[in-house]
Amino acid sequence: MRWTRSLIPTLKEEPAEAEAVSHKLMIRAGLVRQLAAGIYITLPLGQRVMDKIDAIIREEMNRIGGQEITMPVLHPAELWQQTGRWTTIGEEMFRLHDRGKRSMCLGMTHEEVVAWLAAHEIRSYRDLPQIWYQLQTKLRDEARPKSGVLRTREFVMKDSYSLDRDEAGLQKNYELHKEAYCRIFTRCGLAFHVVESDPGMMGGAAAHEFMAPSQAGEDEIALCNRCSYSANVELAVSRSRYPVFPHWDLEEIATPGAGTIDEVCRFLRIDPALTIKSLLFMTDDGPLLALLRGDQRLHEKKLARAAGGEARPAHREEILTHVGVGAGSIGPIGVTLPVIADESLREGRYVTGANKDGFHLRGVRPDIHFQPRWADIRHVSNGDLCPHCDGSLRIERVIEVGNIFRLGTKYSVSMKAVYLNEAGEECPIVMGSYGIGVARIAAAAVEQRHDDFGIVWPSALAPFQLHLLPVNMRDQKTIELAEALYAALQLEGIETLYDDRDERAGVKFKDADLLGLPLRITVGTRAIKEGTVDLKVRKTGEEVHIPLSEAISKVRALLSHPTD
Ligand code: ATP
Ligand code: MG
């Protein structure tokens, strides 16, 4: 492709609004443009990257027996009302009315439509199993669209759905998807972890996420340094390390002016692990006291799961109303509220608030002095013990690029997607659901593969393989050599971006580094004098001078063994 005939609006300056590296680089390299918050236009080079990802996904989905279909973006509300998600999904769903005032929505995922299709088209056990997939636009009114194409309100997802007779069939298709996903992300050049995850709004029995390590990620995972344990921190469990507990008897002690855990520990000269942090939360069912060890952090999603619904921290007035003291003096003894205590408090003797301003209790033994409901509500921390072995856990920040859910019969039951088994009995179809974000893969690749000068594309995703860069487009001889080389490269089927702009060499080199194509050929003065060109590998920075006549075979050789 000739640069002069293309739309490649590269930018020298970083866009002011962008924080994530991939956001900055994808804008600067002219891959995408933002139309509105969380809504992007994919420009020609960006489109080529997306097409490459789509092709890899299609190959791997077809390989496991997936059949491509296309389901509508516009859905009648009834479908979502039938499964109950019309009300439970909340504000993330774009809703609208047609001219006949019928309620509709824009598809944020397609379990309902798949179950509808299965209900109409699957009759007997002989029709199963099936894998249906699509590459389709999803619309979600995300609360915080951010980081460029990592989180947008309109994005293309590969979503697939498996339909089976039973759990064993689902398990097989789940494993097939897991393997396909590993191949897809490996081929896309991503470093990634497969972790256990929370089924969340999908509501299935089990799930895994595919996580690409990056500081730009919004998720955190816990990984064991010894065994294969890995889980999203929303789900991860750990074993606490315990301090040595003093043999305190239960007594009330004055702690004037000490409210926070830090203040109490400084005043009493004790380790925060010897204290209990009592936090008042408000739920739809009223107030709730959550207890954690003083050195640990609460995970709000875990608490919400344990509480059976959203929980928000109580305001100061609410604490006064429900407990009758300031936030720094709340404790579990003597309150009439429901109490959820973190599992790590099952052992030990602690200092807690006394529900009396200026006082704490020392020697409090959970389960003996008060009876909480036990749950895992703490945030796993770096260095915590692995739940399965003697290893310790480390926390990594990651981008979720894909996920897989064992749904079971949740959707088939409500949508009446049934089949007749050998005995002629009606059974609900057992479903799985599997998603991958196409643009998110591209952005994650940029996050993981860039340097100070720009993107370093893995060959599989690069919009072109080769950047052909004549230094001086005012020199007739250079133009002739470059044109001839471009024609030969095209004949060879080597994807080439030909920078035929009459620009300063510095500008062209900078743009070449920014775009990050795997190989670059520079046609400079030596091409005319000595008949040689420079061939540079973007990833390693290696550059060789080679005779023009060898350029194509050398490029071929390098592309057949990409270093990524
Ligand atoms: P997240 O936790 O990041 O919101 P999700 O759990 O909502 O993701 P799914 O609904 O399972 O994700 O979607 C499957 C895949 O689609 C995700 O793994 C991700 O790659 C992609 N994806 C989800 N939401 C977005 C978005 N707003 N923008 C871009 N890609 C997205
Ligand atoms: Mg989401």
Side-chain angles (χ1 to χ4, degrees):
M1 191 163 89
R2 282 173 193 275
W3 192 305
T4 52
R5 308 266 171 82
S6 317
L7 177 63
I8 311 176
T10 56
L11 300 176
K12 276 205 230 52
E13 305 297 330
E14 287 187 350
E17 72 286 1
E19 268 177 40
V21 176
S22 57
H23 188 185
K24 289 179 191 165
L25 287 175
M26 289 179 81
I27 300 270
R28 284 191 54 214
L31 301 174
V32 295
R33 283 294 181 267
Q34 182 178 313
L35 179 66
I39 306 178
Y40 281 80
I41 299 170
T42 310
L43 299 182
L45 289 191
Q47 191 59 48
R48 292 185 68 99
V49 175
M50 304 309 163
D51 290 348
K52 301 230 161 156
I53 299 172
D54 288 354
I56 292 173
I57 292 175
R58 282 197 171 94
E59 270 183 42
E60 296 300 341
M61 288 310 301
N62 294 342
R63 198 199 301 212
I64 61 167
Q67 307 159 77
E68 184 165 358
I69 61 173
T70 302
M71 289 177 276
V73 171
L74 190 59
H75 302 178
E78 290 79 30
L79 240 57
W80 290 77
Q81 284 158 349
Q82 215 170 321
T83 61
R85 288 208 290 185
W86 182 258
T87 41
T88 54
I89 236 159
E91 292 188 319
E92 228 175 270
M93 186 148 76
F94 281 105
R95 296 159 206 251
L96 65 161
H97 289 104
D98 68 8
R99 62 175 77 199
K101 302 277 180 287
R102 278 176 292 265
S103 280
M104 320 275 294
C105 66
L106 302 180
M108 36 185 302
T109 176
H110 281 77
E111 283 76 15
E112 278 75 1
V113 179
V114 165
W116 182 94
L117 183 62
H120 286 78
E121 305 305 332
I122 302 291
R123 297 269 167 271
S124 108
Y125 67 93
R126 285 188 213 92
D127 302 331
L128 297 171
Q130 298 273 343
I131 297 176
W132 300 335
Y133 78 93
Q134 63 174 349
L135 283 145
Q136 176 62 295
T137 298
K138 300 283 189 269
L139 289 122
R140 296 183 181 182
D141 199 358
E142 295 276 356
R144 278 175 294 279
K146 63 177 214 180
S147 309
V149 297
L150 279 172
R151 183 172 298 284
T152 52
R153 297 196 292 168
E154 175 171 332
F155 59 96
V156 174
M157 191 198 286
K158 184 292 298 173
D159 44 332
S160 47
Y161 304 86
S162 62
L163 309 174
D164 277 285
R165 299 163 62 172
D166 49 27
E167 281 294 327
L170 168 60
Q171 186 56 34
K172 199 166 153 210
N173 273 326
Y174 191 82
E175 288 305 322
L176 281 178
H177 271 89
K178 209 191 234 180
E179 287 160 21
Y181 274 35
C182 287
R183 283 195 293 268
I184 289 168
F185 297 124
T186 305
R187 286 181 63 183
C188 289
L190 287 183
F192 64 96
H193 300 288
V194 187
V195 309
E196 284 175 32
S197 70
D198 178 4
M201 75 160 180
M202 292 297 176
H208 284 88
E209 287 165 330
F210 293 76
M211 301 296 215
S214 159
Q215 277 313 310
E218 293 181 47
D219 281 287
E220 281 182 333
I221 58 171
L223 296 161
C224 177
N225 63 0
R226 283 243 185 108
C227 72
S228 60
Y229 181 70
S230 55
N232 191 313
V233 293
E234 291 176 359
L235 197 82
V237 289
S238 63
R239 285 180 297 128
S240 297
R241 295 177 192 275
Y242 283 98
V244 178
F245 292 103
H247 290 287
W248 289 326
D249 288 324
L250 185 62
E251 65 176 318
E252 189 176 274
I253 47 176
T255 47
T260 66
I261 293 286
D262 269 0
E263 289 162 358
V264 172
C265 289
R266 229 176 299 130
F267 182 79
L268 297 175
R269 298 193 179 177
I270 56 168
D271 179 347
L274 296 175
T275 66
I276 292 179
K277 192 155 47 180
S278 308
L279 304 165
L280 191 69
F281 277 84
M282 302 304 293
T283 70
D284 285 346
D285 301 330
L288 163 90
L289 198 59
L291 305 184
L292 286 166
R293 231 168 62 176
D295 62 329
Q296 294 178 336
R297 269 188 304 148
L298 180 93
H299 197 296
E300 294 206 7
K301 275 210 178 150
K302 285 184 172 180
L303 176 67
R305 219 167 25 228
E310 288 304 304
R312 62 159 178 87
H315 308 307
R316 200 200 308 225
E317 305 77 55
E318 287 167 331
I319 297 176
L320 278 173
T321 311
H322 296 291
V323 194
V325 288
S329 307
I330 323 176
I333 296 187
V335 291
T336 50
L337 310 168
V339 178
I340 297 184
D342 182 69
E343 295 283 355
S344 59
L345 295 173
R346 280 186 190 269
E347 275 177 49
R349 294 167 192 243
Y350 297 93
V351 170
T352 76
N355 292 322
K356 190 167 151 190
D357 285 320
F359 288 88
H360 277 75
L361 293 174
R362 189 165 65 188
V364 172
R365 298 173 69 185
D367 242 5
I368 291 183
H369 297 133
F370 66 97
Q371 271 69 45
R373 189 148 72 75
W374 296 104
D376 183 320
I377 55 171
R378 71 179 178 280
H379 207 293
V380 170
S381 302
N382 252 323
D384 277 0
L385 293 168
C386 173
H388 298 317
C389 76
D390 290 337
S392 56
L393 301 179
R394 72 168 196 282
I395 310 293
E396 255 189 57
R397 188 154 275 282
V398 291
I399 297 169
E400 178 202 313
V401 284
N403 56 28
I404 55 179
F405 298 94
R406 275 196 290 259
L407 298 175
T409 56
K410 179 176 147 89
Y411 296 91
S412 43
V413 167
S414 51
M415 299 294 295
K416 303 196 174 48
V418 294
Y419 70 95
L420 295 176
N421 68 10
E422 284 100 325
E425 298 155 340
E426 268 194 359
C427 306
I429 295 170
V430 181
M431 285 175 58
S433 144
Y434 316 87
I436 286 184
V438 176
R440 212 183 259 190
I441 291 185
V446 174
E447 287 291 334
Q448 292 185 348
R449 292 164 165 271
H450 66 268
D451 60 18
D452 292 347
F453 308 106
I455 303 171
V456 183
W457 283 114
S459 173
L461 303 195
F464 291 92
Q465 299 303 313
L466 180 78
H467 201 122
L468 177 59
L469 194 158
V471 170
N472 183 358
M473 286 301 279
R474 294 194 177 167
D475 176 65
Q476 199 48 41
K477 189 75 188 145
T478 304
I479 295 175
E480 276 167 29
L481 288 174
E483 290 284 338
L485 188 52
Y486 179 52
L489 285 161
Q490 277 187 306
L491 219 55
E492 284 288 317
I494 295 168
E495 294 175 338
T496 305
L497 175 62
Y498 175 25
D499 189 351
D500 58 344
R501 292 177 298 170
D502 178 14
E503 273 285 1
R504 279 184 295 114
V507 171
K508 289 180 145 191
F509 284 126
K510 277 218 169 75
D511 275 346
D513 282 342
L514 178 61
L515 295 192
L517 306 184
L519 300 176
R520 185 179 85 197
I521 288 184
T522 307
V523 181
T525 45
R526 282 207 275 184
I528 305 159
K529 286 197 202 123
E530 301 163 18
T532 58
V533 290
D534 297 327
L535 175 58
K536 187 172 180 183
V537 179
R538 174 69 178 90
K539 189 175 169 197
T540 58
E542 273 170 69
E543 190 162 17
V544 287
H545 305 296
I546 49 169
L548 236 171
S549 56
E550 288 172 23
I552 293 207
S553 59
K554 185 79 182 151
V555 166
R556 275 233 157 282
L558 285 170
L559 289 180
S560 63
H561 299 290
T563 49
D564 49 64

